[in-house]
Amino acid sequence: MYVMRMLDPNSRWKEAWDLIQALAILLASIEIPVRIAFQPELTGWHLTAEAIVTVLFLADVGLNFFTAVPHRNRLITDRRYVARTYLKTWFVPDLLAALPLFLLPGVWEAGRMVKTLHLLHLNRLLKLTRVVHNIVDWQRHQLINAGIFRLVFVGFGILLIAHWIACGWILIGGVGPTAGDLDTYVDALYWTITTLTTVGYGDITPDGRWEKLYTMMVMVAGVGCYGYVIGNIASMLANLDLVRSAQLKKIDQVDALLKYRRVPPMLRQEVKDYYEHVFESHATPQDEALLAELPLALRAEIALVTHRDFIHKVPLFRAAGEEFVRTIVLRLKTAVYPPGALIIKKGEVGDCMYFIDNGSVDVISSEDQHVYTTLSEGDYFGEIALTLSQPRSATVRSRDFCDLYVLYRRDFEEALEQFPGFARHVRRTVKHRFRDIERRHARRNARQKSTGD
Ligand code: CMP
């Protein structure tokens, strides 16, 4: 027997499907109130659109029975569990929203929909709760910037509510006779906005019991929402880019301190450039400290994801097994060097080696500044002093801003022990580089001798 596979709720096409549903219901939430307000004749075109929406929503109900549900970081595919969860949560609103209620017997009279029964279309809007829930979920998964999302969400929500209130005002006959539908709508929206924002010019006034009651309700809602919205928007704008404002504050503080200590402007600019680069490459040590409390397994996962690009750049890592990469990434520390900085000085004792994530470095002889070689993204250096326990064999200087990963002696030795492949690779490079340095030394000595003679 053919059994349908359970769908992954995070798969591309399920996300696309949810997006289509969201767009359909957002359009409906704008169009249905207009339809209720103006009660146009439902022509064939309207009916086709309604049929499409019905099919879309019913298909969604069916699909939900075949979509795995996330539970504590796991996807549960058990059919019975999925069905039970759906029946208990979104099934009723989803199904009610999908029903083509306007096709009920008695809704139509002589080919025209009975006036008041246009309200039956409102069942579609039940689905809006689901869409709002989904959108909030996307936001939680950081698909959208939180600050911008809240602004757009609240802004759109206010406009939508104003639109509904305006349509309601038309329905109860609040707008006097005007030239056409568009003018009627603009008048109603104008009345809504002035009443909601408590401005109330009084040029459009309620007539009769129902209109007065409606106006009072909108006024009360307006007063309540006004303070909330204004207060919230101010804080949203302030928080829009919390990280960036914190970074700018830090740069300003450091610059003020340097100014106070009479550091020349050129040097201050260098410090600013350094900070800008560090913030851009997300390599601040504070970031690491922030994550230090997480359990090891979780940190390893995060490190694997955040270092994915870097790992691909380093041929040594690419060739090594998953286990090696998992062990090593957690031990790598980040370091940033501005252009022209001495990363390694020849003759010093070395307690770490470096991998280049971004930028390039020159390996130079300290005596005559001769450049042995230039290393760039994906290369490593500093391994000679570590493997042979001898002073640094050359000087290494950054050519531009360099993002490096540093591996310290203890971690390096553990990695050598645990992973013979890594050890072999490092030893081969050491031998090769050492031979290179010796050859160059010999050549230079010979040259010096011949010019001295
Ligand atoms: P170490 O001796 O620890 O410190 C200086 C580093 O420069 C050295 O390790 C090597 O990683 C690197 N290095 C030295 N000579 C060369 C070379 N000829 N080519 C590439 N890298 C080198």
Side-chain angles (χ1 to χ4, degrees):
M1 192 182 71
Y2 175 74
V3 181
M4 190 170 159
R5 234 166 24 105
M6 291 304 254
L7 294 169
D8 177 356
N10 302 317
S11 65
R12 274 275 156 87
W13 89 262
K14 178 70 171 73
E15 271 169 10
W17 173 257
D18 286 344
L19 200 66
I20 293 173
Q21 297 274 327
L23 287 180
I25 191 60
L26 285 181
L27 285 179
S29 62
I30 296 169
E31 196 257 350
I32 289 175
V34 174
R35 208 191 294 169
I36 292 170
F38 291 102
Q39 317 212 333
E41 266 185 50
L42 280 191
T43 57
W45 186 88
H46 268 121
L47 287 179
T48 317
E50 280 298 327
I52 292 175
V53 171
T54 306
V55 171
L56 270 181
F57 285 9
L58 278 177
D60 192 48
V61 172
L63 214 62
N64 273 293
F65 282 101
F66 293 96
T67 306
V69 281
H71 180 70
R72 289 202 189 140
N73 280 338
R74 260 179 349 112
L75 278 183
I76 301 201
T77 50
D78 177 53
R79 216 162 287 263
R80 254 192 274 151
Y81 180 88
V82 169
R84 223 177 318 127
T85 312
Y86 185 48
L87 287 174
K88 270 197 283 183
T89 51
W90 293 103
F91 175 71
V92 177
D94 275 1
L95 187 70
L96 288 179
L99 295 178
L101 291 181
F102 63 98
L103 290 182
L104 287 177
V107 172
W108 299 85
E109 264 175 17
R112 297 201 62 197
M113 193 165 180
V114 179
K115 252 194 165 188
T116 48
L117 292 180
H118 273 277
L119 283 172
L120 283 177
H121 288 114
L122 281 178
N123 72 319
R124 299 280 194 233
L125 299 191
L126 278 171
K127 193 97 172 168
L128 200 59
T129 49
R130 175 73 179 265
V131 170
V132 169
H133 182 267
N134 277 353
I135 294 178
V136 171
D137 221 37
W138 292 339
Q139 192 270 321
R140 213 173 296 134
H141 288 104
Q142 284 303 310
L143 295 179
I144 323 167
N145 172 298
I148 293 178
F149 164 78
R150 277 184 67 195
L151 264 185
V152 172
F153 193 66
V154 171
F156 186 75
I158 294 171
L159 285 181
L160 199 61
I161 289 172
H163 171 70
W164 289 350
I165 294 175
C167 290
W169 184 240
I170 297 170
L171 184 70
I172 62 170
V175 186
T178 44
D181 285 353
L182 186 62
D183 287 333
T184 307
Y185 179 74
V186 172
D187 279 359
L189 195 62
Y190 164 77
W191 172 85
T192 308
I193 303 285
T194 50
T195 312
L196 263 184
T197 52
T198 67
V199 174
Y201 288 116
D203 49 351
I204 300 177
T205 48
D207 238 356
R209 193 191 308 151
W210 290 112
E211 287 182 22
K212 280 180 185 155
L213 278 174
Y214 191 77
T215 308
M216 281 193 291
M217 251 169 44
V218 176
M219 278 176 168
V220 172
V223 174
C225 292
Y226 195 59
Y228 172 81
V229 168
I230 297 295
N232 255 285
I233 286 187
S235 85
M236 278 182 224
L237 283 177
N239 291 344
L240 197 55
D241 208 343
L242 215 55
V243 178
R244 184 64 191 151
S245 42
Q247 290 174 351
L248 289 177
K249 195 169 154 200
K250 177 151 188 177
I251 295 180
D252 283 349
Q253 279 173 342
V254 172
D255 194 48
L257 176 72
L258 296 182
K259 205 169 166 188
Y260 175 72
R261 292 194 177 165
R262 299 214 180 89
V263 174
M266 284 269 279
L267 197 50
R268 270 169 40 208
Q269 189 56 44
E270 266 183 46
V271 173
K272 276 196 220 169
D273 289 347
Y274 170 80
Y275 269 115
E276 283 292 357
H277 177 81
V278 168
F279 291 143
E280 218 171 274
S281 59
H282 305 288
T284 55
Q286 291 95 313
D287 290 354
E288 281 173 27
L290 214 58
L291 299 176
E293 290 166 13
L294 291 176
L296 197 68
L298 212 52
R299 256 190 305 152
E301 284 302 322
I302 295 172
L304 275 182
V305 174
T306 51
H307 295 29
R308 196 186 296 134
D309 289 346
F310 163 65
I311 291 165
H312 274 281
K313 274 183 218 164
V314 184
L316 171 61
F317 289 169
R318 242 184 304 146
E322 160 95 13
E323 198 48 38
F324 172 76
V325 174
R326 202 173 267 276
T327 316
I328 215 86
V329 285
L330 263 187
R331 295 161 194 239
L332 296 174
K333 307 278 177 289
T334 49
V336 179
Y337 287 90
L342 286 186
I343 304 168
I344 285 180
K345 256 197 203 149
K346 184 177 171 175
E348 277 183 353
V349 180
D351 67 340
C352 60
M353 72 178 286
Y354 301 83
F355 296 90
I356 307 178
D357 182 16
N358 273 308
S360 53
V361 299
D362 282 334
V363 180
I364 48 185
S365 85
S366 58
E367 293 89 21
D368 57 358
Q369 303 292 307
H370 171 78
V371 177
Y372 288 132
T373 185
T374 298
L375 303 174
S376 57
E377 285 183 18
D379 289 329
Y380 61 86
F381 58 89
E383 78 296 347
I384 297 183
L386 281 194
T387 31
L388 306 181
S389 293
Q390 62 163 42
R392 295 289 194 192
S393 62
T395 293
V396 180
R397 194 174 52 202
S398 56
R399 285 167 70 93
D400 34 34
F401 265 111
C402 274
D403 301 323
L404 305 177
Y405 282 96
V406 191
L407 182 64
Y408 284 94
R409 182 179 288 280
R410 215 186 52 184
D411 298 323
F412 172 76
E413 279 167 1
E414 261 176 36
L416 283 189
E417 253 172 49
Q418 276 182 36
F419 301 97
F422 174 66
R424 252 194 319 274
H425 196 289
V426 169
R427 284 204 192 96
R428 215 178 304 136
T429 321
V430 169
K431 219 187 280 170
H432 175 79
R433 287 181 174 173
F434 223 60
R435 215 179 297 140
D436 188 41
I437 290 182
E438 275 171 356
R439 213 172 29 228
R440 282 169 200 262
H441 266 284
R443 227 181 290 150
R444 210 177 45 235
N445 284 345
R447 223 178 303 133
Q448 274 168 354
K449 226 185 241 168
S450 69
T451 47
D453 285 345

